[in-house]
């Protein structure tokens, strides 16, 4: 994915900053809005180079629709994760079988990899240990039997299906 | 006492319960990695519940306004985005500083990966390396 033009990246940064300003001040007063816009323009001029590489392409309707659909999906996964933790902590036998597994991802962009790593950390029984190119090293609290095979390929396939694949269908569209 | 107040109170209660679980996980788990697992997840969802709960709670009272809810949601989103990164940094630093896994652990693919990386530069000549 090539880089977008400077002006598009700049505008995208302004929009994101202004939305955050809107939420923080929570006021529709003209003076507040004007000053917020001014501040967004100034801050964006300094930061747009490190903030985004896609620019306005991030605001594609399909991406936004997937992002909105991703929020309840992610929150649901998070609640499940916490019930899972509750079960493991409160169970008298403490049913854990931890291990570090290797996964592969199909995502290309850095932001997408970051989002996937964050999603993995907050969902059932997994926490990201390291990311190297397209390989994720993940500490899993309950390694299932399928991932315990000797063969490298089967291991990666089984662990990827258990961890990364459910999120990738969303994140692939959102971040590429 | 309106419906909004009740929802807010329930959310705060749930959040506090997950805080308790998070602290309990710190005590019960055997090694640093499993402790990070339990504490990160529960503390994040617990904070979300408490913070958003306070926002909704304030809506139901006579001094509250929509500003409470938007501000609390912004705080919640920031927390949601930064918490897993700090957990990732901590667990990676723990591994790099040589803290062993619990003896009940079944696989460690990361050690194989690191060992493979250490061997690789010796086998390839320095100038003709891949990087």
């Amino acid at each position: 994915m090539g880089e977008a033009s400077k002006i598009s990246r700049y505008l995208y940064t302004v929009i994101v900053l202004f939305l955050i300003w809107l939420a923080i001040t929570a006021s529709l007063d003209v003076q507040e809005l004007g000053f917020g816009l001014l501040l967004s323009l100034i801050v964006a001029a300094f930061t747009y180079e490190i903030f985004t590489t896609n620019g306005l392409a991030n605001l594609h309707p399909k991406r936004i629709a997937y992002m909105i659909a991703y929020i309840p999906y992610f929150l649901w996964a998070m609640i499940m994760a916490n019930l899972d933790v509750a079960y493991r902590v409160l169970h008298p036998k403490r049913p854990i079988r931890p291990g570090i597994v290797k996964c592969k991802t199909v995502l290309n962009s850095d932001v997408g990899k970051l989002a996937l790593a964050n999603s993995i950390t907050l969902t059932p029984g997994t926490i990201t240990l390291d990311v190297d190119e397209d390989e994720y090293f993940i500490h899993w609290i309950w390694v299932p039997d399928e991932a315990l095979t000797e063969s490298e390929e089967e291991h990666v396939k089984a662990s990827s299906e258990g961890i990364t694949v459910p999120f990738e269908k969303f994140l692939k569209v959102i971040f590429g | 006492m309106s419906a909004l107040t009740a929802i807010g109170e329930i959310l705060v209660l749930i959040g506090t319960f997950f805080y308790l679980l998070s602290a309990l996980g710190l005590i019960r788990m055997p090694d640093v990695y499993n402790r990070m697992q339990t504490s990160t997840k529960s503390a994040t969802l617990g904070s979300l519940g408490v913070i958003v709960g306070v926002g909704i709670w304030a809506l139901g009272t006579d001094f509250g306004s929509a500003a409470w809810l938007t501000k609390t949601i912004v705080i919640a989103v920031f927390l949601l985005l930064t918490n897993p990164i700090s957990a990732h940094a901590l667990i990676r630093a723990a591994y790099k500083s040589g803290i062993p896994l619990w003896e009940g652990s079944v696989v460690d693919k990361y050690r194989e990966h690191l060992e493979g990386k250490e061997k690789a530069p010796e086998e390839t000549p320095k100038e003709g390396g891949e990087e």
Side-chain angles (χ1 to χ4, degrees):
Chain A
M1 195 175 291
E3 291 214 343
S5 69
K6 277 189 176 182
I7 210 82
S8 147
R9 284 156 66 195
Y10 178 69
L11 282 180
Y12 176 67
T13 316
V14 170
I15 290 172
V16 172
L17 287 173
F18 190 62
L19 284 179
I20 296 174
W21 172 273
L22 270 186
I24 288 181
T25 57
S27 136
L28 290 175
D29 192 60
V30 177
Q31 283 187 347
E32 293 246 25
L33 290 184
F35 193 62
L37 191 60
L38 185 70
L39 278 184
S40 315
L41 289 170
I42 295 171
V43 175
F46 289 111
T47 56
Y48 78 95
E49 282 177 354
I50 50 170
F51 183 64
T52 173
T53 55
N54 289 338
L56 288 175
N58 282 334
L59 295 177
H60 193 280
K62 196 178 169 197
R63 287 188 168 172
I64 292 183
Y66 266 77
M67 202 176 283
I68 291 169
Y70 183 60
I71 292 170
Y73 180 81
F74 174 71
L75 284 180
W76 178 248
M78 227 179 120
I79 292 168
M80 284 287 115
N82 279 277
L83 295 179
D84 183 66
V85 165
Y87 166 72
R88 291 192 198 289
V89 168
L90 296 177
H91 195 283
K93 276 188 187 160
R94 199 179 60 191
I96 58 172
R97 187 165 77 183
I100 298 175
V101 299
K102 183 158 113 179
C103 291
K104 284 220 190 295
T105 178
V106 296
L107 296 174
N108 296 318
S109 69
D110 285 348
V111 192
K113 283 177 189 166
L114 172 70
L116 181 60
N118 273 1
S119 306
I120 288 170
T121 301
L122 289 176
T123 47
T126 49
I127 186 166
T128 314
L129 195 78
D130 202 356
V131 182
D132 191 8
E133 298 297 319
D134 65 338
E135 289 174 343
Y136 278 72
F137 294 92
I138 289 162
H139 186 268
W140 208 346
I141 204 167
W142 181 262
V143 182
D145 291 330
E146 307 91 68
L148 283 177
T149 53
E150 290 293 314
S151 140
E152 185 78 15
E153 281 174 25
E154 281 177 32
H155 167 80
V156 170
K157 188 164 173 287
S159 54
S160 297
E161 266 165 20
I163 298 175
T164 58
V165 170
F167 297 111
E168 274 176 351
K169 60 178 185 273
F170 287 96
L171 293 173
K172 184 77 190 154
V173 179
I174 299 176
F175 298 108
Chain B
M1 173 102 181
S2 65
L4 283 173
T5 325
I7 294 173
E9 281 173 5
I10 290 170
L11 274 179
V12 171
L13 255 182
I14 294 174
T16 330
F17 172 67
F18 281 125
Y19 276 148
L20 176 72
L21 276 184
S22 160
L24 206 60
L26 279 182
I27 300 170
R28 274 186 62 91
M29 286 296 153
D31 72 349
V32 63
Y33 305 99
N34 293 306
R35 282 185 197 138
M36 290 299 303
Q37 291 259 21
T38 52
S39 58
T40 311
K41 287 184 233 303
S42 308
T44 313
L45 191 75
S47 314
L48 276 194
V50 170
I51 292 169
V52 177
V54 165
I56 295 176
W57 193 344
L59 277 187
T61 56
D62 47 355
F63 59 87
S65 69
W68 282 80
L69 191 58
T70 55
K71 278 176 200 175
T72 50
I73 285 178
V74 168
I75 297 172
V77 170
F78 284 170
L79 207 73
L80 191 65
L81 291 180
T82 51
N83 232 349
I85 299 176
S86 66
H88 165 66
L90 278 173
I91 196 171
R92 187 164 180 274
Y95 197 97
K96 295 270 177 186
S97 58
I99 296 174
L101 284 130
W102 183 48
E103 61 266 23
S105 305
V106 281
V107 283
D108 189 353
K109 292 282 173 188
Y110 192 46
R111 169 134 345 258
E112 295 167 19
H113 174 74
L114 285 182
E115 280 167 2
K117 257 196 162 178
E118 273 171 18
K119 276 176 197 162
E122 292 166 14
E123 288 163 8
T124 52
K126 272 185 182 173
E127 278 90 9
E130 285 165 29
E131 289 171 322

PDB file of all heavy atoms in Angstrom, chain A residues 20-27 32, chain B residues 51-52 54-56 65-79:
ATOM      1  N   ILE A  20     -11.555  14.277  18.726  1.00  0.00           N
ATOM      2  CA  ILE A  20     -11.185  14.091  20.137  1.00  0.00           C
ATOM      3  C   ILE A  20     -11.482  15.355  20.931  1.00  0.00           C
ATOM      4  O   ILE A  20     -12.009  15.314  22.045  1.00  0.00           O
ATOM      5  CB  ILE A  20      -9.691  13.704  20.244  1.00  0.00           C
ATOM      6  CG1 ILE A  20      -9.458  12.349  19.582  1.00  0.00           C
ATOM      7  CG2 ILE A  20      -9.258  13.634  21.695  1.00  0.00           C
ATOM      8  CD1 ILE A  20      -8.010  11.965  19.507  1.00  0.00           C
ATOM      9  N   TRP A  21     -11.173  16.506  20.336  1.00  0.00           N
ATOM     10  CA  TRP A  21     -11.478  17.792  20.998  1.00  0.00           C
ATOM     11  C   TRP A  21     -12.973  17.902  21.282  1.00  0.00           C
ATOM     12  O   TRP A  21     -13.384  18.302  22.373  1.00  0.00           O
ATOM     13  CB  TRP A  21     -11.007  18.940  20.114  1.00  0.00           C
ATOM     14  CG  TRP A  21     -11.435  20.295  20.596  1.00  0.00           C
ATOM     15  CD1 TRP A  21     -12.597  20.931  20.313  1.00  0.00           C
ATOM     16  CD2 TRP A  21     -10.713  21.160  21.464  1.00  0.00           C
ATOM     17  NE1 TRP A  21     -12.656  22.136  20.943  1.00  0.00           N
ATOM     18  CE2 TRP A  21     -11.508  22.308  21.660  1.00  0.00           C
ATOM     19  CE3 TRP A  21      -9.468  21.088  22.086  1.00  0.00           C
ATOM     20  CZ2 TRP A  21     -11.101  23.365  22.450  1.00  0.00           C
ATOM     21  CZ3 TRP A  21      -9.075  22.144  22.878  1.00  0.00           C
ATOM     22  CH2 TRP A  21      -9.876  23.268  23.058  1.00  0.00           C
ATOM     23  N   LEU A  22     -13.790  17.537  20.290  1.00  0.00           N
ATOM     24  CA  LEU A  22     -15.245  17.604  20.469  1.00  0.00           C
ATOM     25  C   LEU A  22     -15.680  16.766  21.660  1.00  0.00           C
ATOM     26  O   LEU A  22     -16.483  17.205  22.489  1.00  0.00           O
ATOM     27  CB  LEU A  22     -15.937  17.073  19.217  1.00  0.00           C
ATOM     28  CG  LEU A  22     -16.277  18.055  18.110  1.00  0.00           C
ATOM     29  CD1 LEU A  22     -17.074  17.352  17.040  1.00  0.00           C
ATOM     30  CD2 LEU A  22     -17.054  19.213  18.666  1.00  0.00           C
ATOM     31  N   ALA A  23     -15.149  15.552  21.739  1.00  0.00           N
ATOM     32  CA  ALA A  23     -15.592  14.664  22.818  1.00  0.00           C
ATOM     33  C   ALA A  23     -15.110  15.158  24.168  1.00  0.00           C
ATOM     34  O   ALA A  23     -15.822  15.037  25.163  1.00  0.00           O
ATOM     35  CB  ALA A  23     -15.079  13.245  22.576  1.00  0.00           C
ATOM     36  N   ILE A  24     -13.896  15.738  24.210  1.00  0.00           N
ATOM     37  CA  ILE A  24     -13.375  16.152  25.509  1.00  0.00           C
ATOM     38  C   ILE A  24     -14.077  17.398  26.026  1.00  0.00           C
ATOM     39  O   ILE A  24     -14.446  17.481  27.190  1.00  0.00           O
ATOM     40  CB  ILE A  24     -11.843  16.377  25.419  1.00  0.00           C
ATOM     41  CG1 ILE A  24     -11.145  15.034  25.285  1.00  0.00           C
ATOM     42  CG2 ILE A  24     -11.329  17.070  26.656  1.00  0.00           C
ATOM     43  CD1 ILE A  24      -9.656  15.139  25.205  1.00  0.00           C
ATOM     44  N   THR A  25     -14.304  18.386  25.141  1.00  0.00           N
ATOM     45  CA  THR A  25     -14.964  19.595  25.641  1.00  0.00           C
ATOM     46  C   THR A  25     -16.463  19.394  25.777  1.00  0.00           C
ATOM     47  O   THR A  25     -17.093  20.010  26.628  1.00  0.00           O
ATOM     48  CB  THR A  25     -14.718  20.780  24.707  1.00  0.00           C
ATOM     49  OG1 THR A  25     -15.178  20.427  23.411  1.00  0.00           O
ATOM     50  CG2 THR A  25     -13.254  21.134  24.636  1.00  0.00           C
ATOM     51  N   ALA A  26     -17.046  18.540  24.928  1.00  0.00           N
ATOM     52  CA  ALA A  26     -18.483  18.258  24.988  1.00  0.00           C
ATOM     53  C   ALA A  26     -19.313  19.529  24.943  1.00  0.00           C
ATOM     54  O   ALA A  26     -20.262  19.691  25.695  1.00  0.00           O
ATOM     55  CB  ALA A  26     -18.830  17.444  26.228  1.00  0.00           C
ATOM     56  N   SER A  27     -18.914  20.467  24.077  1.00  0.00           N
ATOM     57  CA  SER A  27     -19.667  21.705  23.980  1.00  0.00           C
ATOM     58  C   SER A  27     -19.726  22.121  22.516  1.00  0.00           C
ATOM     59  O   SER A  27     -18.753  21.937  21.777  1.00  0.00           O
ATOM     60  CB  SER A  27     -19.008  22.781  24.830  1.00  0.00           C
ATOM     61  OG  SER A  27     -18.957  23.994  24.116  1.00  0.00           O
ATOM     62  N   GLU A  32     -15.615  27.690  21.298  1.00  0.00           N
ATOM     63  CA  GLU A  32     -14.899  26.436  21.603  1.00  0.00           C
ATOM     64  C   GLU A  32     -14.554  25.710  20.319  1.00  0.00           C
ATOM     65  O   GLU A  32     -13.438  25.209  20.151  1.00  0.00           O
ATOM     66  CB  GLU A  32     -15.793  25.541  22.470  1.00  0.00           C
ATOM     67  CG  GLU A  32     -16.043  26.095  23.843  1.00  0.00           C
ATOM     68  CD  GLU A  32     -15.421  25.214  24.897  1.00  0.00           C
ATOM     69  OE1 GLU A  32     -14.462  24.520  24.556  1.00  0.00           O
ATOM     70  OE2 GLU A  32     -15.903  25.220  26.031  1.00  0.00           O
TER      71      GLU A  32
ATOM     72  N   ILE B  51     -15.582   3.368  34.764  1.00  0.00           N
ATOM     73  CA  ILE B  51     -15.519   4.707  34.163  1.00  0.00           C
ATOM     74  C   ILE B  51     -16.809   5.030  33.415  1.00  0.00           C
ATOM     75  O   ILE B  51     -17.435   6.072  33.630  1.00  0.00           O
ATOM     76  CB  ILE B  51     -14.295   4.797  33.239  1.00  0.00           C
ATOM     77  CG1 ILE B  51     -13.016   4.737  34.065  1.00  0.00           C
ATOM     78  CG2 ILE B  51     -14.317   6.080  32.451  1.00  0.00           C
ATOM     79  CD1 ILE B  51     -11.782   4.560  33.241  1.00  0.00           C
ATOM     80  N   VAL B  52     -17.219   4.115  32.513  1.00  0.00           N
ATOM     81  CA  VAL B  52     -18.450   4.379  31.770  1.00  0.00           C
ATOM     82  C   VAL B  52     -19.653   4.388  32.704  1.00  0.00           C
ATOM     83  O   VAL B  52     -20.598   5.166  32.536  1.00  0.00           O
ATOM     84  CB  VAL B  52     -18.611   3.347  30.639  1.00  0.00           C
ATOM     85  CG1 VAL B  52     -19.916   3.557  29.913  1.00  0.00           C
ATOM     86  CG2 VAL B  52     -17.463   3.461  29.661  1.00  0.00           C
ATOM     87  N   VAL B  54     -19.726   5.484  35.760  1.00  0.00           N
ATOM     88  CA  VAL B  54     -19.805   6.806  36.394  1.00  0.00           C
ATOM     89  C   VAL B  54     -20.445   7.806  35.433  1.00  0.00           C
ATOM     90  O   VAL B  54     -21.280   8.625  35.837  1.00  0.00           O
ATOM     91  CB  VAL B  54     -18.397   7.272  36.823  1.00  0.00           C
ATOM     92  CG1 VAL B  54     -18.388   8.746  37.139  1.00  0.00           C
ATOM     93  CG2 VAL B  54     -17.949   6.496  38.026  1.00  0.00           C
ATOM     94  N   GLY B  55     -20.072   7.727  34.145  1.00  0.00           N
ATOM     95  CA  GLY B  55     -20.663   8.637  33.165  1.00  0.00           C
ATOM     96  C   GLY B  55     -22.160   8.490  33.087  1.00  0.00           C
ATOM     97  O   GLY B  55     -22.903   9.481  33.076  1.00  0.00           O
ATOM     98  N   ILE B  56     -22.635   7.245  33.043  1.00  0.00           N
ATOM     99  CA  ILE B  56     -24.084   7.031  32.932  1.00  0.00           C
ATOM    100  C   ILE B  56     -24.775   7.390  34.239  1.00  0.00           C
ATOM    101  O   ILE B  56     -25.863   7.977  34.247  1.00  0.00           O
ATOM    102  CB  ILE B  56     -24.346   5.568  32.537  1.00  0.00           C
ATOM    103  CG1 ILE B  56     -23.784   5.305  31.143  1.00  0.00           C
ATOM    104  CG2 ILE B  56     -25.820   5.264  32.542  1.00  0.00           C
ATOM    105  CD1 ILE B  56     -23.902   3.884  30.700  1.00  0.00           C
ATOM    106  N   SER B  65     -24.606  16.067  33.197  1.00  0.00           N
ATOM    107  CA  SER B  65     -24.931  16.472  31.838  1.00  0.00           C
ATOM    108  C   SER B  65     -24.253  15.498  30.891  1.00  0.00           C
ATOM    109  O   SER B  65     -23.499  14.625  31.321  1.00  0.00           O
ATOM    110  CB  SER B  65     -24.455  17.897  31.566  1.00  0.00           C
ATOM    111  OG  SER B  65     -23.053  17.910  31.529  1.00  0.00           O
ATOM    112  N   ALA B  66     -24.504  15.663  29.588  1.00  0.00           N
ATOM    113  CA  ALA B  66     -23.913  14.745  28.617  1.00  0.00           C
ATOM    114  C   ALA B  66     -22.394  14.838  28.594  1.00  0.00           C
ATOM    115  O   ALA B  66     -21.724  13.914  28.144  1.00  0.00           O
ATOM    116  CB  ALA B  66     -24.464  15.041  27.227  1.00  0.00           C
ATOM    117  N   ALA B  67     -21.856  15.975  29.111  1.00  0.00           N
ATOM    118  CA  ALA B  67     -20.401  16.130  29.117  1.00  0.00           C
ATOM    119  C   ALA B  67     -19.732  15.030  29.930  1.00  0.00           C
ATOM    120  O   ALA B  67     -18.638  14.589  29.602  1.00  0.00           O
ATOM    121  CB  ALA B  67     -20.023  17.499  29.676  1.00  0.00           C
ATOM    122  N   TRP B  68     -20.396  14.594  30.999  1.00  0.00           N
ATOM    123  CA  TRP B  68     -19.825  13.502  31.806  1.00  0.00           C
ATOM    124  C   TRP B  68     -19.601  12.282  30.930  1.00  0.00           C
ATOM    125  O   TRP B  68     -18.548  11.675  30.953  1.00  0.00           O
ATOM    126  CB  TRP B  68     -20.779  13.125  32.942  1.00  0.00           C
ATOM    127  CG  TRP B  68     -20.755  14.056  34.100  1.00  0.00           C
ATOM    128  CD1 TRP B  68     -21.389  15.246  34.188  1.00  0.00           C
ATOM    129  CD2 TRP B  68     -20.063  13.875  35.325  1.00  0.00           C
ATOM    130  NE1 TRP B  68     -21.149  15.810  35.406  1.00  0.00           N
ATOM    131  CE2 TRP B  68     -20.342  14.993  36.126  1.00  0.00           C
ATOM    132  CE3 TRP B  68     -19.251  12.863  35.833  1.00  0.00           C
ATOM    133  CZ2 TRP B  68     -19.813  15.134  37.408  1.00  0.00           C
ATOM    134  CZ3 TRP B  68     -18.735  13.000  37.097  1.00  0.00           C
ATOM    135  CH2 TRP B  68     -19.015  14.140  37.881  1.00  0.00           C
ATOM    136  N   LEU B  69     -20.622  11.924  30.179  1.00  0.00           N
ATOM    137  CA  LEU B  69     -20.550  10.666  29.426  1.00  0.00           C
ATOM    138  C   LEU B  69     -19.478  10.740  28.343  1.00  0.00           C
ATOM    139  O   LEU B  69     -18.675   9.816  28.205  1.00  0.00           O
ATOM    140  CB  LEU B  69     -21.920  10.365  28.806  1.00  0.00           C
ATOM    141  CG  LEU B  69     -22.031   8.964  28.233  1.00  0.00           C
ATOM    142  CD1 LEU B  69     -21.764   7.929  29.308  1.00  0.00           C
ATOM    143  CD2 LEU B  69     -23.393   8.733  27.643  1.00  0.00           C
ATOM    144  N   THR B  70     -19.421  11.860  27.583  1.00  0.00           N
ATOM    145  CA  THR B  70     -18.413  11.915  26.508  1.00  0.00           C
ATOM    146  C   THR B  70     -17.010  11.886  27.092  1.00  0.00           C
ATOM    147  O   THR B  70     -16.131  11.209  26.570  1.00  0.00           O
ATOM    148  CB  THR B  70     -18.594  13.176  25.662  1.00  0.00           C
ATOM    149  OG1 THR B  70     -18.561  14.306  26.517  1.00  0.00           O
ATOM    150  CG2 THR B  70     -19.883  13.146  24.885  1.00  0.00           C
ATOM    151  N   LYS B  71     -16.797  12.599  28.196  1.00  0.00           N
ATOM    152  CA  LYS B  71     -15.447  12.597  28.772  1.00  0.00           C
ATOM    153  C   LYS B  71     -15.068  11.222  29.278  1.00  0.00           C
ATOM    154  O   LYS B  71     -13.945  10.751  29.057  1.00  0.00           O
ATOM    155  CB  LYS B  71     -15.361  13.622  29.900  1.00  0.00           C
ATOM    156  CG  LYS B  71     -15.114  15.014  29.370  1.00  0.00           C
ATOM    157  CD  LYS B  71     -15.132  16.040  30.450  1.00  0.00           C
ATOM    158  CE  LYS B  71     -15.374  17.391  29.829  1.00  0.00           C
ATOM    159  NZ  LYS B  71     -15.516  18.457  30.800  1.00  0.00           N
ATOM    160  N   THR B  72     -15.993  10.575  29.952  1.00  0.00           N
ATOM    161  CA  THR B  72     -15.645   9.250  30.471  1.00  0.00           C
ATOM    162  C   THR B  72     -15.392   8.275  29.322  1.00  0.00           C
ATOM    163  O   THR B  72     -14.526   7.410  29.425  1.00  0.00           O
ATOM    164  CB  THR B  72     -16.747   8.710  31.380  1.00  0.00           C
ATOM    165  OG1 THR B  72     -17.987   8.836  30.714  1.00  0.00           O
ATOM    166  CG2 THR B  72     -16.769   9.421  32.684  1.00  0.00           C
ATOM    167  N   ILE B  73     -16.153   8.443  28.225  1.00  0.00           N
ATOM    168  CA  ILE B  73     -15.921   7.518  27.106  1.00  0.00           C
ATOM    169  C   ILE B  73     -14.542   7.751  26.497  1.00  0.00           C
ATOM    170  O   ILE B  73     -13.840   6.794  26.146  1.00  0.00           O
ATOM    171  CB  ILE B  73     -17.045   7.667  26.061  1.00  0.00           C
ATOM    172  CG1 ILE B  73     -18.313   7.002  26.588  1.00  0.00           C
ATOM    173  CG2 ILE B  73     -16.655   7.009  24.746  1.00  0.00           C
ATOM    174  CD1 ILE B  73     -19.490   7.107  25.694  1.00  0.00           C
ATOM    175  N   VAL B  74     -14.129   9.017  26.396  1.00  0.00           N
ATOM    176  CA  VAL B  74     -12.787   9.295  25.870  1.00  0.00           C
ATOM    177  C   VAL B  74     -11.726   8.656  26.763  1.00  0.00           C
ATOM    178  O   VAL B  74     -10.790   7.998  26.289  1.00  0.00           O
ATOM    179  CB  VAL B  74     -12.559  10.812  25.753  1.00  0.00           C
ATOM    180  CG1 VAL B  74     -11.103  11.107  25.487  1.00  0.00           C
ATOM    181  CG2 VAL B  74     -13.394  11.367  24.641  1.00  0.00           C
ATOM    182  N   ILE B  75     -11.897   8.813  28.092  1.00  0.00           N
ATOM    183  CA  ILE B  75     -10.930   8.206  29.009  1.00  0.00           C
ATOM    184  C   ILE B  75     -10.912   6.693  28.825  1.00  0.00           C
ATOM    185  O   ILE B  75      -9.860   6.055  28.771  1.00  0.00           O
ATOM    186  CB  ILE B  75     -11.285   8.561  30.464  1.00  0.00           C
ATOM    187  CG1 ILE B  75     -11.180  10.068  30.674  1.00  0.00           C
ATOM    188  CG2 ILE B  75     -10.362   7.848  31.425  1.00  0.00           C
ATOM    189  CD1 ILE B  75     -11.688  10.515  32.001  1.00  0.00           C
ATOM    190  N   ALA B  76     -12.103   6.101  28.686  1.00  0.00           N
ATOM    191  CA  ALA B  76     -12.189   4.649  28.540  1.00  0.00           C
ATOM    192  C   ALA B  76     -11.482   4.197  27.272  1.00  0.00           C
ATOM    193  O   ALA B  76     -10.764   3.189  27.271  1.00  0.00           O
ATOM    194  CB  ALA B  76     -13.653   4.213  28.518  1.00  0.00           C
ATOM    195  N   VAL B  77     -11.663   4.943  26.174  1.00  0.00           N
ATOM    196  CA  VAL B  77     -11.017   4.539  24.918  1.00  0.00           C
ATOM    197  C   VAL B  77      -9.503   4.652  25.033  1.00  0.00           C
ATOM    198  O   VAL B  77      -8.770   3.751  24.602  1.00  0.00           O
ATOM    199  CB  VAL B  77     -11.552   5.402  23.756  1.00  0.00           C
ATOM    200  CG1 VAL B  77     -10.728   5.163  22.509  1.00  0.00           C
ATOM    201  CG2 VAL B  77     -12.994   5.062  23.476  1.00  0.00           C
ATOM    202  N   PHE B  78      -9.020   5.728  25.643  1.00  0.00           N
ATOM    203  CA  PHE B  78      -7.575   5.862  25.823  1.00  0.00           C
ATOM    204  C   PHE B  78      -7.020   4.694  26.638  1.00  0.00           C
ATOM    205  O   PHE B  78      -5.986   4.114  26.317  1.00  0.00           O
ATOM    206  CB  PHE B  78      -7.232   7.183  26.519  1.00  0.00           C
ATOM    207  CG  PHE B  78      -7.320   8.376  25.622  1.00  0.00           C
ATOM    208  CD1 PHE B  78      -7.245   9.659  26.132  1.00  0.00           C
ATOM    209  CD2 PHE B  78      -7.481   8.228  24.257  1.00  0.00           C
ATOM    210  CE1 PHE B  78      -7.328  10.755  25.307  1.00  0.00           C
ATOM    211  CE2 PHE B  78      -7.562   9.321  23.421  1.00  0.00           C
ATOM    212  CZ  PHE B  78      -7.487  10.593  23.958  1.00  0.00           C
ATOM    213  N   LEU B  79      -7.747   4.359  27.697  1.00  0.00           N
ATOM    214  CA  LEU B  79      -7.309   3.254  28.557  1.00  0.00           C
ATOM    215  C   LEU B  79      -7.294   1.947  27.776  1.00  0.00           C
ATOM    216  O   LEU B  79      -6.367   1.144  27.881  1.00  0.00           O
ATOM    217  CB  LEU B  79      -8.271   3.157  29.739  1.00  0.00           C
ATOM    218  CG  LEU B  79      -7.698   2.581  30.999  1.00  0.00           C
ATOM    219  CD1 LEU B  79      -6.777   3.577  31.630  1.00  0.00           C
ATOM    220  CD2 LEU B  79      -8.806   2.214  31.936  1.00  0.00           C
TER     221      LEU B  79
END
